[in-house]
Amino acid sequence: MSTPHWRPLFIIIIIFFFFFLLKLLSAVSILPKPRFPCELPHHSSYPFCNTSLSIAARAHSLVSLLTLQEKIEQLTNNASAIPRLGIPAFEWWSESLHGLATNGPGVTFDGVVSSATSFPQVLLTAASFNRTLWFRIGSAIAVEARAMYNVGQAGLTFWAPNVNIFRDPRWGRGQETPGEDPMVVSAYAVEFVKGFQGGESRFGDGIGDVFGEKRVLEDDDGVGGSHDLMLSACCKHLTAYDLDKWASFTRYNFNAVITDQDFEDTYQPPFRSCVQQGKASCLMCSYNEVNGVPACARKDLLDIARDKWGFKGYITSDCDAVATVFDYQHYAKDPEDAVADVLKAGTDINCGTYLYRHTLSAIKQGKVQEEDVDRALLNLFSVQLRLRLFEGDPVKGKYGRLGPQDVCTLENKKLALEAARQGIVLLKNDKNFLPLKKVAVSSLAVIGPLANNASKLEGGYTGIPCSSKSLVDGFQEFIKNTYYATGCLNVSCDSDAGFHEAIRIAKYADFVVVVLGIDLSQETEDHDRVSLLLPGKQMALVSSVAAASKKPVILVLTGGGPLDVSFAEKDPRIAGILWIGYPGEAGGQALTEIIFGDVNPGGRLPMTWYPESFTNVPMTDMRMRADPSHGYPGRTYRFYTGSKVYSFGQGLSYSNYTYKFFSVPNKLTLSGSFKKNIPNQVGDGPDYVNMDELISCDSLRFFVQISVMNVGDMDGGHIVMLFSRSPKVIQGAPEKQLIGFNSVHTISNRSTTTSIQVDPCMHLSFANEKGQRVLPLGHHILTLGDLEHSVSVVI
């Protein structure tokens, strides 16, 4: 049979196509998968790689190059790669609450870096009331995070700090916060964010730039805001999120009903400060509804951040919070409506896949426009650009020299130790029982299920510590003959089976330390407490041990939530009580140093400790102010009218301190400060002025000069706390409120001077029932310990 005339030509074409394909594959192999955006030589010529252009121009250029599907694939925390533009995948979710944590997928410890410095949980760090310390911790965590990013073990965008108010003592995540006072929480937010993002603290340089140069955020009027970011911090959870799981309520279906008054002077200040002073580049909207609308769908709430506070950054949902808008809260009638609700409200990215899965359908149904997606992407890419992600090889960049050698450094370990030292609070010290003298202690009994388990003392959102030691380890380094018994098998302490051994060593030892309290089995994310008492048979254990001991015992309390330990406070067989929270990797050493007098304790409680009767108050009642007519006692030291176990700001020292005011005004005159001649009138005369009636508050600021005398034989850190009581001319005035604080180092039997700036418009004011800040006229009483001074505010 003869061969068709077309077959040779067909064979030639096939051969040609085969060689063409080989050449193409060869060419592709020359272009490796991009490791970072704007990689030379093939992906560096795009306008978004041009550093001479503004952040806004580069972000707009990048968005304009994307297809709709590529845009949608960026709306999840695990943003997809865009290979044709040389852009690799990007993970937005990393965690760094008090050190690099394993909670988010962005951080891993299975590479060349196997651990990172674990600082005390935030609540204990807040007990130091030391702004410089807060800044230094933020800066130290940032250095370790950037170092881990350089070796592929961390991201650049971290979802910390948690700046919600610790409103209810049962809240499982209160440990993550800086406490119950809006001023303290605001100050912590500012210092941590500045340190973490590479800014400067006005209270001290902290660790400073790792290259010996100042790290200053440069202003940019474009969509990007401040240009240079070492890392991105995220203040969460906006807003009024402080219930996880209580009774039939969960964070996914809870509607937080907030008055305008509480919204203005309690719930919002930390987020406002985080944005305005801290310059945070991220906000996270919370799961819960706020007055009937899911937080991530509250356009007015998110608009306040951008339009009134000047927020320049991205807004992320809490994980799967977009899904809850439909699945749990039933606010939206279908997934597409939920997508439309959050995108049009101003949420930019969804932690999870909900936007990824439903945005295209929402666009096809006309519920979302592509412009809504573009707006979100401009915010997202602007933050990445500020992180210098689109400037080529990061190893050749400003922070490229950071690596494994910058993680778990001696300096950071010392900082973790110092934070634990400054945060531990001495609550009881009968007859100066503490400190113990090492030469007088030949044997020591340490009792409690948490005393010999270092990992239980890290708290939530933690990673792998550098060199964690248990409390028992710490005591054994001081006292060779240290004996240990669990007493309870675990923190729940459902059985007294271990009491016998605990009582036996308590009878034998010279001194006894009992370590009890709570851990993450009792309080954590998605788990609130129902009782404020010590769990199970813990109370019986400490009482039994105290009865058996030759000398009064020392009770050490762990955990973040307040505990009703009234029995121990009243029991003379319990001479000392210390709260150590979750002290981090250096907690064992810090506690031992304090008990044996190497360190003078100075921490103060950042939250009120309530009696067990407070559990009769519904956790769902968000009101801060007391309502005596309905038996509602209010919340936090500012408004609570009931009995207390320990007060906000309480904390003892091995020294006593006395104060003197030596420079403070007696009168403030508002004349000439008004936009109009006649201020707001109430009754027969003015009782207060609205803040918006004043032209400026700058001229009203003053400094309170204070002398602090250490009347004792030990040097030590001391926290100066200045409170005010305002005239009761407006309903809902606080019982008192903190208006300034400083941490000072004092020398034995010497005086130290310090000063606190008071801004009357901020510190002496509060919100009225309409949510408007007002400044009461009349006598404001400044209190400093037992010392009082009256400042009269007049027109």
Side-chain angles (χ1 to χ4, degrees), residues 79-95:
S80 298
I82 311 170
R84 66 185 184 85
L85 298 180
I87 299 175
F90 185 83
E91 178 57 69
W92 289 89
W93 182 8
S94 293
E95 299 283 359

Side-chain angles (χ1 to χ4, degrees), residues 270-326:
F271 293 99
R272 181 167 56 236
S273 296
C274 193
V275 169
Q276 291 183 330
Q277 286 82 49
K279 306 298 182 185
S281 53
C282 169
L283 289 172
M284 176 184 286
C285 52
S286 55
Y287 290 112
N288 54 283
E289 292 179 289
V290 179
N291 294 339
V293 180
C296 293
R298 280 208 61 152
K299 180 173 172 55
D300 59 339
L301 182 69
L302 305 187
D303 281 350
I304 286 172
R306 291 202 183 277
D307 300 337
K308 292 188 178 181
W309 301 345
F311 175 61
K312 302 291 185 182
Y314 75 99
I315 297 175
T316 179
S317 77
D318 204 338
C319 292
D320 287 325
V322 178
T324 64
V325 175
F326 170 64

Side-chain angles (χ1 to χ4, degrees), residues 662-675:
F662 65 86
S663 178
V664 57
N666 296 313
K667 180 186 290 187
L668 291 177
T669 303
L670 304 183
S671 298
S673 299
F674 295 101
K675 297 176 182 177

